[in-house]
Amino acid sequence: EPEVTQTPSHQVTQMGQEVILRCVPISNHLYFYWYRQILGQKVEFLVSFYNNEISEKSEIFDDQFSVERPDGSNFTLKIRSTKLEDSAMYFCASSFDVEQYFGPGTRLTVT
Amino acid sequence: QKEVEQNSGPLSVPEGAIASLNCTYSDRGSQSFFWYRQYSGKSPELIMFIYSNGDKEDGRFTAQLNKASQYVSLLIRDSQPSDSATYLCAVISNSGYALNFGKGTSLLVTP
């Protein structure tokens, strides 16, 4: 069964550094998403991407964040200058229609 | 702020019993509703979604939607210890992209 994959599984970075989180969505899916979950809190929407552009973004997704689909398979989330409060699990998801399937996540730790 | 509310639990049921998980939402215009399961330290796993009033069954799972009462529930029949997890209710945004999650209900199925 096709799955969303994410790399790395765990990323440790220093405050102020740039990080890129990578995702390979399910191959025939058209919609791509990033969510985050701070430890002990609910899953929060960051951004959705369709037809090579952002279709929706939340208040969390400020100028420090960007997304890109650099080729036909990868979908990336860049955090330009990480803050301590960016420490969270970051989940990529993809969908063909409304049903969103999540990848295993990248745990980002900002020190 | 559009809210999705769930009792945090834990909800404890004996093996073989029916577990009933509830969710209310604030946006009367919401159209589609999703149930995800999340094991500790793992990503959300889609169980099922519902968009019409009434019941929708998939194996041991039944989702129930009452738009007039702004209420969604998930019934798990013949509960197994492997069903012990946090169950997340999510409502899709009016744009059709973002999932707005509740905080989840922790379910414990005791042998």
Side-chain angles (χ1 to χ4, degrees), chain A residues 31 33 35 37 41-45 48 50 55-56 89 91 97-105 107, chain B residues 1-3 32 34 36 38 41-46 49 88 92-93 95-103:
Chain A
Y31 303 86
Y33 314 84
Y35 291 83
Q37 187 174 31
Q41 298 188 22
K42 69 176 184 177
V43 177
E44 299 176 292
F45 170 77
S48 61
Y50 171 69
S55 47
E56 187 175 356
M89 280 290 287
F91 296 113
D97 195 351
V98 295
E99 296 170 82
Q100 297 184 24
Y101 295 89
F102 282 68
R107 178 170 298 284
Chain B
Q1 178 72 9
K2 297 171 184 174
E3 299 292 339
S32 299
F34 300 78
Y36 284 81
Q38 187 175 32
K42 302 295 186 182
S43 60
E45 175 189 348
L46 180 64
F49 79 99
L88 310 179
I92 206 155
S93 67
S95 68
Y97 297 109
L99 285 175
N100 183 15
F101 282 87
K103 292 182 178 179

Side-chain angles (χ1 to χ4, degrees), chain A residues 9-72:
Chain A
S9 56
H10 190 191
Q11 173 93 46
V12 181
T13 189
Q14 288 190 324
M15 194 169 51
Q17 296 297 304
E18 175 184 286
V19 294
I20 298 176
L21 309 183
R22 292 183 165 81
C23 167
V24 178
I26 295 171
S27 62
N28 67 333
H29 283 186
L30 304 174
Y31 303 86
F32 315 115
Y33 314 84
W34 284 100
Y35 291 83
R36 79 172 186 191
Q37 187 174 31
I38 296 170
L39 188 63
Q41 298 188 22
K42 69 176 184 177
V43 177
E44 299 176 292
F45 170 77
L46 294 178
V47 65
S48 61
F49 194 84
Y50 171 69
N51 201 25
N52 284 319
E53 61 183 22
I54 290 173
S55 47
E56 187 175 356
K57 62 182 180 179
S58 72
E59 292 176 353
I60 302 168
F61 193 87
D62 61 21
D63 292 344
Q64 293 299 312
F65 292 89
S66 62
V67 290
E68 191 178 30
R69 188 154 164 84
D71 53 43

Side-chain angles (χ1 to χ4, degrees), chain A residues 73-106:
Chain A
S73 58
N74 290 284
F75 180 51
T76 62
L77 174 69
K78 182 192 291 186
I79 308 175
R80 202 181 328 277
S81 178
T82 50
K83 307 183 186 73
L84 293 176
E85 54 264 38
D86 293 328
S87 295
M89 280 290 287
Y90 287 81
F91 296 113
C92 174
S94 69
S95 69
F96 181 80
D97 195 351
V98 295
E99 296 170 82
Q100 297 184 24
Y101 295 89
F102 282 68
T106 293

Side-chain angles (χ1 to χ4, degrees), chain B residues 45-61:
Chain B
E45 175 189 348
L46 180 64
I47 299 172
M48 63 192 304
F49 79 99
I50 187 168
Y51 57 87
S52 297
N53 273 329
D55 295 359
K56 180 180 178 182
E57 188 174 316
D58 185 357
R60 295 187 297 115
F61 300 98

